[in-house]
Amino acid sequence: MEQSFAATLRAARVARGLTQEGLAERAGLSAQAIGLLERGVRRFPQLTTLDKLDRALGLSHSERRLFRRLAARGAVSAPATPAAGSDPSWIVARQAQRAAHQRFVGRRRELDLLVELLTTSPDRIAPNIVTIRGMAGVGKTALATEAAQASADHFPDGTLFVNLRGFGQPMSQLQTAGQLLRATGVPPEVVPGDRAEAVAALRSRLMNRRVLLVLDNARDVQQVTDLIPASAGAAVLITSRDTLATMPAAVHLQVDPLAASESAALLTSIAADGRLTEAADRIAELCGHLPLALSIVAAWSLTHPAAAPAELVDRLADQSHRLDLLHGDDRGVRAGFSSSVEQLRRIDPPAAEALPILGLSDAQDFTARTAAPLLAATPVETNRILERLTDLHLVESWTPGRYQFHDLVRAYARELAARLPPATQEASLDRLLTFYLSVAWRAVVLNGPTALRTAWPHQPPPPSGADFATHDAVLSWIDRELPNYIALIEQFGAGGERDERVAGLVIGLYEYFVKRGNLVDWLPSIDRVVTGDITEWTRAQLHADAAIALAELARYDESADRFRLAQRGFEAAGSLRGMSLAANNSARLLIRMHRHRDALPLVESALAVNRELGDIRGLAAAYGTRCEVLLELGDPVAAEADARAALQQWEVLGDADGVANARIEAAWARVKSGHPELAVDDLRLSLLELEGLGHSKGVSDAHWVLALTFKELRDHDRAIQHVESALEIAKAVGDERREAQSRLTLGEVLTEIREYDDALANLRFALDFYRGHHPGHAEQARRLLETAEAGSRV
């Protein structure tokens, strides 16, 4: 009688005096698993199971060989008896082998997962199927080959590998079936010449065989479906740039570019002479951590021993020629992308046409809504195109609804874009600029339809959609798109026909930056466009905006210079409103510099001009400024009157932000007049309103004034609570001026309650900041710090 694994296992267990439960405990398996093996229900145990049984039973060398031979032989049941001479001998092929010169680095997690999936053999009636998907050059084939080699022992009937050339000249199913039949020992002369017959012969040939089939570079599901064997002991590993979502796979494994450390390791393992070691990180970054690109670069280094690593970095840094260096051979990076696009042209021409147009934009990423203007398509159609490009890994999607290029795909898309007719390029970019411009100005108009900046004459029609229905919704949208705004301003820059419109885009972003953006990001954008071919009014407005940003950053001298330039520009443009605005904002700057008496005539001038013009918004702003001046000059009663006058004007305009801030000014005037208890309710109301508007900096200011008010009321706990809230917001938006004022107040409160150690760090920060920006506050911080230091020593 033929030996079986089940009988041999049972005999080995009994010989050692073990029950099934005892063996299971020793081996770390379940008693049910031992029972299934001994009854022959589970005939083909995994290698890991064999190893566990080996250790538990203490098998001798001969017993171990017998166990493994029976496990392997048992995987192949006798097939149906064929006609005489029609079943050639089976050849155990090992085709998925990494060449000795090839390097495989990293991917430990992915490799372990693949081996586990391929070698797991529960009670199945179909083969294990796993797909590996990813962009061209990402290392799908290398990973599949490595997994096949690591799994080889589990497939005693061999490992078959075929390159389906799905993104070149695809292999037909007849060609593929014929290649696989020949690999198993079928003579070429008996391989069927008909597709259906060849596929049927292959499936019969693979029946009940424990074989791993690696189908590399599949074009789509149709190319591989009929090749899947029916044997439960087999496994199939498929690689493709397409997602193959309808393939019934255990896992669709996404393979991404290498981690930075793995990229550097791959480079230095190929260029083993060590010349690339110091520059490896930068070279890997410029290659986009793409294994194919890294391999080509390392090979280039070996064939150019006289070239210094710095030269290689310089060549790669030139994006317009980067792909030239990475051409390699017909498997170079450009060739890989090109074959993907050729496939796309066959299956989805609109998506293929979209790729170069998307490459025109410098935006970091895009959504269906932002890419639609570029493509002159609807958002619905654009979404379909982006999903198709994602399926072929020509774009990536790390966040639902947002898409981006890999750096090397972007370089390739730009090569294609350069071949587009100039009129197509210009029209696409104009549509994109118009869209972003319309959103920026939507925020301005929703918050202040009568603001001076709305005099800019080139505003596009407002965008449609729920994202742009309210002021807060628009600001939230810009939150997500801000990096793209900055990138597009950098792209269009100054010195072209779009100068006025790009400058208008920067002016339109005022509403966003003063409410919740980081002014450090805004200033470079202003300076990039202010020298362009723009109108005198536009240039003056840009200078005024820059001055406001500089004042917020406590760069007071620079701010004063820009206000002077704005004043002259508005005067040259004949804009009384602009001149009034510049005068009022100059007065606010002087307040920051503690030059209150110098500020008073400027704000009086602004009030007079705005009364003459009947400019309600200008009047409201000027009353608010004079309120601050009068408070510092010691007249809180008159200051409160101005704050209430400003409040009235903002209410007429329906400006919720202006109303909230004017109420804060009036409440603070009450605090300064010795009635802090009368200020708390109004301050809390304004805080709630500003939170509702999403105006983070205004919320920070409201918390700070509430902290000062509770400090006056000797309610230190609430004072600390509010000033810490103000501080948290200031740090989040990168506003050092607000951070310093919050830390100064927090240090003062902590010193009052004798928590000196906690006060010290806050006061030191404030002192460091004010030494360079505000001597008066610096002196206050220094005195408080000395008090806290003295207290901490007691």
Side-chain angles (χ1 to χ4, degrees):
M1 178 180 292
E2 184 180 36
Q3 281 184 298
S4 69
F5 181 85
T8 302
L9 173 62
R10 187 182 309 110
R13 174 180 60 79
V14 172
R16 288 160 175 80
L18 294 171
T19 63
Q20 287 188 350
E21 290 77 11
L23 176 58
E25 184 177 354
R26 280 192 182 188
L29 300 169
S30 68
Q32 180 186 21
I34 300 297
L36 291 171
L37 289 169
E38 290 191 357
R39 293 196 300 276
V41 175
R42 183 171 292 170
R43 294 177 296 161
F44 314 132
Q46 301 175 51
L47 286 176
T48 53
T49 300
L50 289 175
D51 289 341
K52 291 177 179 179
L53 292 171
D54 182 358
R55 289 192 296 271
L57 293 168
L59 298 177
S60 66
H61 179 67
S62 59
E63 287 176 317
R64 187 180 305 116
R65 289 183 60 189
L66 176 63
F67 265 56
R68 290 182 181 272
R69 180 171 63 81
L70 291 174
R73 191 180 70 183
V76 186
S77 299
T81 303
S86 66
D87 185 23
S89 299
W90 179 271
I91 293 177
V92 177
R94 295 295 180 195
Q95 294 184 321
Q97 298 288 329
R98 172 162 49 84
H101 69 277
Q102 293 177 321
R103 301 291 190 274
F104 184 84
V105 173
R107 309 280 197 209
R108 192 71 251 168
R109 182 188 64 81
E110 294 91 339
L111 183 59
D112 289 346
L113 175 61
L114 285 174
V115 171
E116 179 182 355
L117 290 168
L118 293 173
T119 60
T120 296
S121 51
D123 298 326
R124 292 185 285 106
I125 59 173
N128 283 336
I129 302 175
V130 181
T131 75
I132 302 175
R133 53 183 178 152
M135 65 186 295
V138 80
K140 301 181 294 296
T141 301
L143 177 60
T145 301
E146 200 72 14
Q149 287 187 235
S151 307
D153 287 348
H154 192 76
F155 299 101
D157 291 321
T159 304
L160 304 175
F161 180 97
V162 59
N163 180 2
L164 298 175
R165 301 198 303 268
F167 293 84
Q169 295 296 321
M171 291 265 285
S172 68
Q173 287 192 344
L174 174 61
Q175 291 173 312
T176 305
Q179 179 175 321
L180 291 170
L181 285 167
R182 290 190 296 274
T184 65
V186 176
E189 62 271 16
V190 301
V191 172
D194 175 77
R195 185 203 72 83
E197 290 180 6
V199 168
L202 175 66
R203 291 170 67 85
S204 295
R205 182 78 168 159
L206 298 180
M207 180 65 69
N208 295 321
R209 293 284 181 179
R210 287 183 64 178
V211 64
L212 172 60
L213 183 58
V214 181
L215 301 176
D216 187 47
N217 200 14
R219 179 182 61 190
D220 51 32
V221 171
Q222 288 70 34
Q223 192 181 16
V224 296
T225 298
D226 291 342
L227 303 173
I228 306 299
S231 172
V236 184
L237 182 56
I238 308 170
T239 77
S240 180
R241 299 177 202 175
D242 203 346
T243 303
L244 307 182
T246 58
M247 175 63 62
V251 167
H252 297 285
L253 180 65
Q254 170 75 36
V255 179
D256 300 317
L258 292 169
S261 60
E262 294 174 343
S263 296
L266 178 58
L267 268 176
T268 53
S269 70
I270 299 173
D273 57 7
R275 288 191 306 120
L276 296 183
T277 301
E278 289 188 8
D281 290 341
R282 178 59 178 153
I283 292 170
E285 179 184 359
L286 290 168
C287 288
H289 305 290
L290 200 66
L292 175 59
L294 294 165
S295 299
I296 293 171
V297 164
W300 185 92
S301 175
L302 292 174
T303 57
H304 295 78
E311 178 186 345
L312 181 54
V313 170
D314 289 342
R315 285 171 173 256
L316 288 169
D318 181 0
Q319 191 177 89
S320 62
H321 296 293
R322 189 178 301 171
L323 294 184
D324 294 332
L325 184 63
L326 300 176
H327 68 83
D329 49 25
D330 61 349
R331 293 193 67 251
V333 174
R334 182 186 284 115
F337 296 155
S338 178
S339 63
S340 292
V341 173
E342 287 303 315
Q343 167 70 0
L344 193 59
R345 287 195 179 104
R346 291 191 290 268
I347 62 177
D348 193 339
E353 292 170 6
L355 184 70
I357 297 175
L358 292 170
L360 289 168
S361 169
D362 278 1
Q364 291 187 11
D365 62 7
F366 30 87
T367 66
R369 188 71 173 87
T370 61
L374 260 178
L375 304 181
T378 65
V380 172
E381 171 63 7
T382 301
N383 185 73
R384 186 198 68 76
I385 287 171
L386 292 172
E387 286 298 312
R388 171 65 78 178
L389 292 172
T390 304
D391 286 343
L392 290 180
H393 296 87
L394 289 167
V395 299
E396 303 167 328
S397 181
W398 302 108
T399 302
R402 300 197 76 86
Y403 305 84
Q404 64 188 48
F405 280 122
H406 182 276
D407 285 349
L408 296 182
V409 180
R410 183 189 288 274
Y412 178 70
R414 285 182 171 164
E415 288 187 356
L416 299 181
R419 304 172 196 167
L420 295 171
T424 299
Q425 296 182 44
E426 295 303 309
S428 298
L429 289 172
D430 280 340
R431 290 192 301 269
L432 181 68
L433 175 58
T434 297
F435 173 71
Y436 276 93
L437 188 65
S438 70
V439 178
W441 278 90
R442 180 66 171 161
V444 174
V445 172
L446 283 172
N447 190 61
T450 62
L452 168 65
R453 68 189 57 247
T454 59
W456 188 67
H458 306 293
Q459 300 172 45
S464 59
D467 285 341
F468 315 114
T470 67
H471 184 254
D472 189 52
V474 177
L475 294 185
S476 296
W477 191 89
I478 299 176
D479 276 335
R480 298 187 293 273
E481 289 294 324
L482 184 60
N484 293 329
Y485 270 103
I486 302 300
L488 292 174
I489 292 167
E490 287 288 317
Q491 178 178 1
F492 294 125
E497 295 181 359
R498 298 187 181 92
D499 282 6
E500 181 70 20
R501 298 173 68 216
V502 180
L505 179 64
V506 176
I507 293 171
L509 286 172
Y510 168 89
E511 187 66 28
Y512 174 80
F513 277 110
V514 299
K515 297 294 169 56
R516 60 214 283 178
N518 190 333
L519 296 169
V520 173
D521 293 330
W522 194 33
L523 271 172
S525 297
I526 295 173
D527 288 337
R528 185 164 183 81
V529 301
V530 75
T531 59
D533 184 12
I534 56 180
T535 65
E536 198 67 54
W537 184 96
T538 300
R539 199 181 321 278
Q541 186 63 59
L542 286 167
H543 281 309
D545 288 349
I548 292 169
L550 288 163
E552 284 292 293
L553 295 170
R555 293 160 61 180
Y556 298 133
D557 291 339
E558 296 174 72
S559 177
D561 290 341
R562 297 299 276 266
F563 274 133
R564 280 191 287 271
L565 290 172
Q567 185 82 17
R568 292 173 198 159
F570 283 130
E571 185 175 357
S575 173
L576 285 176
R577 288 189 70 195
M579 294 165 63
S580 170
L581 172 74
N584 185 64
N585 284 332
S586 294
R588 298 186 72 85
L589 174 63
L590 291 170
I591 293 170
R592 294 267 178 88
M593 300 169 73
H594 271 219
R595 293 170 56 187
H596 306 106
R597 295 198 182 279
D598 293 335
L600 192 55
L602 285 174
V603 73
E604 295 285 7
S605 170
L607 278 167
V609 171
N610 285 306
R611 287 194 190 98
E612 181 182 345
L613 294 173
D615 185 345
I616 298 175
R617 181 173 294 275
L619 275 173
Y623 276 128
T625 303
R626 193 170 70 174
C627 168
E628 290 190 47
V629 173
L630 293 173
L631 276 173
E632 295 298 331
L633 293 177
D635 192 349
V637 175
E640 184 174 356
D642 273 354
R644 295 203 171 279
L647 179 62
Q648 183 179 11
Q649 305 299 324
W650 292 123
E651 286 175 339
V652 170
L653 291 168
D655 189 315
D657 183 46
V659 167
N661 282 298
R663 191 184 295 113
I664 290 173
E665 289 169 347
W668 183 238
R670 266 179 250 130
V671 174
K672 298 291 280 186
S673 63
H675 300 288
E677 72 282 357
L678 301 178
V680 173
D681 288 344
D682 276 352
L683 289 171
R684 282 175 169 161
L685 175 59
S686 289
L687 174 61
L688 289 173
E689 289 174 342
L690 290 166
E691 286 176 337
L693 292 168
H695 297 175
S696 55
K697 294 179 181 180
V699 173
S700 178
D701 290 341
H703 276 299
W704 178 62
V705 176
L706 269 165
L708 293 172
T709 302
F710 281 117
K711 175 178 169 293
E712 291 295 318
L713 292 168
R714 313 298 296 170
D715 189 340
H716 296 107
D717 287 343
R718 284 193 175 89
I720 291 172
Q721 174 189 340
H722 283 288
V723 75
E724 286 182 340
S725 295
L727 175 59
E728 183 179 352
I729 295 169
K731 289 169 64 179
V733 299
D735 191 324
E736 283 195 6
R737 183 186 69 81
R738 285 183 168 84
E739 182 177 356
Q741 76 179 14
S742 297
R743 287 189 182 277
L744 181 62
T745 300
L746 180 56
E748 186 174 7
V749 175
L750 291 170
T751 299
E752 286 185 3
I753 61 175
R754 300 183 180 182
E755 294 186 10
Y756 301 117
D757 291 341
D758 290 338
L760 290 174
N762 291 292
L763 293 171
R764 284 170 182 151
F765 180 98
L767 179 58
D768 286 344
F769 177 83
Y770 287 127
R771 274 175 175 157
H773 300 93
H774 204 308
H777 286 344
E779 179 59 24
Q780 180 188 0
R782 186 191 61 78
R783 290 196 304 268
L784 285 168
L785 182 58
E786 287 179 353
T787 302
E789 286 174 338
S792 67
R793 291 194 292 267
V794 174

